[in-house]
């Protein structure tokens, strides 16, 4: 018999039944009075979740659209932008901003580390930037950036907007837009929210909305805050047809998150990631990110000597768990394991157990139960 397939990649993450059920509801008119209420309630809840004093734009599209929308509404051609790149998704910002005709400077962190507040302060002392972008968790490395400290340094300059790419963080790593002074935060539905791919969220505080006003006409349409703002304010208005069933799925996703409570959710992610990392280390793997730099949402896991990446991941898939491969220089050297969103003890135990079976099948000297034992001991602390 074939194993069930547990998708433990860093997004899409496993989707629970009550969210999936929303996708099979009869689709209604976007002007349906009940849908309008649901849409409004969802964006209001999302604003509350991040303590946002401006607007949350809930739009059909992926995290990359959210990145582009954030940049499009805070810069004009020729503006200088500073990218804090901790890996693959920082580099995506660089490419996107180059394509938009911006003057792009980049601070690169070596993969597995993060750009520091000191580095940002130094760059900003020498040049004026309209925007600084920070990837909260770069999915290519599993490192978490110190966004609160970076925000202090960035906002020492009055006219600079901070964009936080939370695509692999929001909903699992704390992001309080007022307490941390974050101007724009973006994410996608399919990562720590545990909703299928298809929606993105762009939270913009009052400073960011004022920046959009100050830009006047921008060469954008689908990405323009000003064309979406009336719809977010009153979903009875039309701009682009809302993804009705996905909005319902998001509403249910948000309900689950708020029912758990954000503080509990953050704590659960810390516990899960510590337990998973300890289990993997007990099995001979190395976590790329050093202690203190590790994201709670995923682990980027270097193989012990003698394990072949393709054989490992194919065997693991046969054992019922799908993980992602390493990117760029780490292709073939590591796998990426998501542990975010609406996953539970069963998912974690199954994942570590499948990794143990896979190691044995790959000829590695592994005592079955080693990782699972460490995982459970940590989860029961
Ligand atoms: C996944 C991811 C993105 C891109 O999101 P898509 O939905 O794939 O477009 C951007 N940034 C980070 C940090 C991500 O993890």
């Amino acid at each position: 018999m074939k194993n069930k397939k547990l998708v433990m990649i860093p997004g899409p993450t496993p989707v629970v039944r009550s969210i999936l059920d929303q996708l099979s509801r009869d689709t209604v008119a976007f002007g349906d009075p009940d849908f309008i209420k649901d849409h409004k309630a969802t964006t209001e809840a999302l604003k509350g979740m991040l303590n946002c004093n401006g607007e949350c734009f809930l739009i059909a599209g992926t995290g990359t659209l959210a990145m582009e929308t954030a940049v499009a509404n805070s810069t004009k051609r020729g503006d200088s932008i500073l990218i804090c790149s901790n890996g693959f998704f920082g580099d995506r910002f660089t490419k996107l901003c180059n394509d938009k005709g911006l003057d792009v400077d980049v601070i690169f962190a070596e993969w597995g580390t993060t750009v520091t507040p000191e580095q940002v302060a130094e760059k900003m002392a020498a040049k004026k930037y309209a925007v600084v972008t920070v990837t909260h968790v770069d999915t290519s490395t599993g490192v978490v950036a110190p966004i609160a400290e970076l925000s202090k340094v960035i906002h020492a300059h009055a006219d600079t907007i901070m964009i936080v790419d939370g695509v692999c963080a929001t909903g699992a790593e704390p992001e309080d837009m007022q307490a941390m002074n974050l101007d724009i935060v973006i994410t996608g539905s399919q990562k720590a929210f545990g909703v299928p791919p298809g929606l993105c969220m762009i939270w913009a505080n009052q400073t960011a909305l004022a920046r959009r006003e100050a830009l006047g006409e921008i060469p954008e349409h689908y990405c323009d805050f000003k064309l979406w703002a009336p719809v977010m304010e009153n979903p009875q208005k039309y701009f682009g047809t809302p993804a009705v069933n996905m909005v319902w799925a998001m509403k249910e996703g948000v309900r689950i998150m708020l029912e758990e409570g954000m503080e509990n959710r953050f704590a659960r992610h810390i516990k899960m990631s510590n337990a998973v990392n300890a289990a993997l280390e007990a099995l001979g793997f190395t976590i790329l990110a050093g202690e203190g730099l590790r994201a709670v949402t995923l682990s980027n896991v270097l193989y012990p000597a003698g394990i072949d990446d393709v054989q490992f991941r194919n065997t693991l898939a046969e054992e019922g768990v799908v993980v992602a491969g390493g990117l760029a220089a780490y292709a073939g050297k590591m796998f990426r394991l998501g542990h975010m969103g609406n996953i539970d003890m069963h998912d974690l135990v199954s994942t570590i157990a499948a990794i143990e079976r896979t190691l044995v099948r790959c000829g590695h000297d592994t005592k079955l139960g080693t990782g699972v034992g460490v995982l459970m001991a940590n989860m029961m602390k």
Side-chain angles (χ1 to χ4, degrees), residues 264-281:
N264 293 336
R265 199 170 173 91
F266 300 149
R268 176 170 62 82
H269 278 84
I270 292 171
K271 185 168 221 176
M272 292 193 306
S273 59
N274 285 341
V276 166
N277 288 336
L280 292 169
E281 284 170 341

Side-chain angles (χ1 to χ4, degrees), residues 9-72:
I9 62 175
T13 59
V15 183
V16 298
R17 176 52 53 192
S18 69
I19 294 177
L20 286 175
D21 283 348
Q22 297 298 318
L23 300 178
S24 60
R25 285 175 64 182
D26 284 336
T27 304
V28 297
F30 64 81
D32 183 280
D34 288 329
F35 176 70
I36 289 168
K37 272 192 221 137
D38 289 341
H39 192 296
K40 185 73 185 166
T42 306
T43 52
E44 285 301 317
L46 286 166
K47 267 197 266 182
M49 190 182 273
L50 262 62
N51 194 20
C52 174
N53 67 8
E55 188 57 271
C56 177
F57 298 89
L58 179 62
I59 298 176
T62 78
T64 306
L65 177 74
M67 294 168 77
E68 180 154 5
T69 302
V71 172

Side-chain angles (χ1 to χ4, degrees), residues 10-11 61-67 89-90 92-93 135-140 165-169 186 188-191 197 199-200 336:
T62 78
T64 306
L65 177 74
M67 294 168 77
F89 287 104
R92 176 168 291 189
F93 259 129
T135 312
H136 195 171
V137 172
D138 204 300
T139 323
S140 61
D165 174 356
V167 181
C168 202
I186 60 164
S189 50
Q190 77 275 23
K191 302 218 178 167
L199 287 181
C200 62
R336 295 179 301 133

